[in-house]
Amino acid sequence: MNDVRGVSIGRAAALYGLAPSTLRWWESQGVLPEPPRVNGRRVYTETELRRVGLAYLCCVIGDMPLGQASVATTGSRTSRWQSTVLGHAERIEEMIKQLQSARAYLLHLARCPDDDVVANCPVLDAELVEHTPRGRFPGSDLVTAAQSLPMRDETRPARDETLRCAVCSGPITQSPRGRRRTYCSRACQQRHYRVRGG
C-alpha cells in the first residue's frame, strides 16, 4: 500500500470482530475520522487501529452513545472530553449497581425454598417494589395497582416518550419516513445479532 504502512478496512474491522460497515458507520457519525487513502482505499495505520480500538471500547464494551463516543475518541483532553468520559463512567457505575442487584436476586431465585417462586417468594415482592414501576404503588396488590393506571394508546408512543435502543437503551431518532428504527446505530444492531446468534 505504497509508503503508508497499514491495513485495509476489512482487516481493521476483523481485528476487533466488527464488520467493515461498522467502521464506515462510525466514520459517518463522527466517532472515527476517515483514515488516509491510498489508491482510493482506506488505509488503517497503527494510530487509526488504536482509535478503532478506543471506539470499540467506548461503543461496544462501554455502551457509550455515538455522540459521546465521537468526543471520547478524539483523545483531546479538553474540558468537554473530560466531562464526557467521566459522565459516562458514572452512568456505567449505575449500570453496575443495577446488574449487581439483578445478580443477587437471580442467585436468590436459584436457591429460593418456595416451590412456586412466582406466587410465593417474598423476595420477589420486594424486588418488584424496588426495581420496577410497580414500586409507585406500595402496599397494594398488583391487580389494584394495574387497575389504577390510566390506559394509553399502545400503537404509538406518548408525545414525551423517547424511544430507546433495544441494545443500549440510548435514545433513537426516528425519521418521519420509512420503517421504525429499533437500534440507535449499526453497531448496536450488529451487537444484537451477534448475541442472538451466539
Side-chain angles (χ1 to χ4, degrees):
M1 291 187 147
N2 289 356
D3 296 58
V4 180
R5 185 172 178 272
V7 296
S8 68
I9 189 170
R11 290 189 185 276
L15 182 62
Y16 295 103
L18 300 168
S21 59
T22 300
L23 300 191
R24 289 188 200 95
W25 173 253
W26 284 349
E27 283 178 23
S28 73
Q29 298 302 302
V31 175
L32 295 174
E34 189 172 316
R37 288 182 180 255
V38 173
N39 298 327
R41 295 180 180 258
R42 292 170 171 87
V43 178
Y44 290 82
T45 64
E46 186 74 18
T47 300
E48 275 78 30
L49 291 173
R50 289 175 63 86
R51 195 177 310 275
V52 170
L54 178 57
Y56 181 90
L57 290 173
C58 289
C59 297
V60 178
I61 302 298
D63 199 30
M64 185 180 276
L66 294 178
Q68 293 177 12
S70 66
V71 175
T73 57
T74 64
S76 301
R77 299 179 63 89
T78 63
S79 60
R80 180 176 180 221
W81 181 88
Q82 192 82 14
S83 67
T84 298
V85 171
L86 292 176
H88 194 70
E90 289 172 10
R91 179 175 171 247
I92 288 175
E93 185 65 33
E94 275 305 308
M95 291 167 64
I96 289 170
K97 288 177 187 173
Q98 290 175 357
L99 289 171
Q100 286 174 333
S101 176
R103 180 181 180 271
Y105 178 69
L106 291 173
L107 290 174
H108 163 78
L109 189 63
R111 297 186 287 264
C112 186
D114 292 306
D115 290 334
D116 187 348
V117 176
V118 173
N120 300 324
C121 180
V123 176
L124 175 59
D125 293 335
E127 290 293 315
L128 293 176
V129 169
E130 179 74 22
H131 299 290
T132 71
R134 184 266 182 269
R136 293 181 302 199
F137 308 97
S140 62
D141 62 85
L142 295 174
V143 172
T144 304
Q147 287 174 339
S148 68
L149 294 172
M151 296 292 290
R152 75 172 187 204
D153 182 7
E154 293 182 9
T155 58
R156 51 203 289 216
R159 259 179 209 218
D160 60 345
E161 184 176 311
T162 303
L163 294 173
R164 298 284 175 187
C165 176
V167 174
C168 73
S169 298
I172 297 176
T173 311
Q174 293 293 339
S175 172
R177 295 180 298 174
R179 291 190 309 186
R180 264 172 88 90
R181 292 179 61 198
T182 309
Y183 310 100
C184 65
S185 67
R186 295 276 299 156
C188 280
Q189 183 179 18
Q190 288 177 346
R191 190 177 327 148
H192 172 77
Y193 288 124
R194 247 192 331 270
V195 169
R196 195 177 70 179

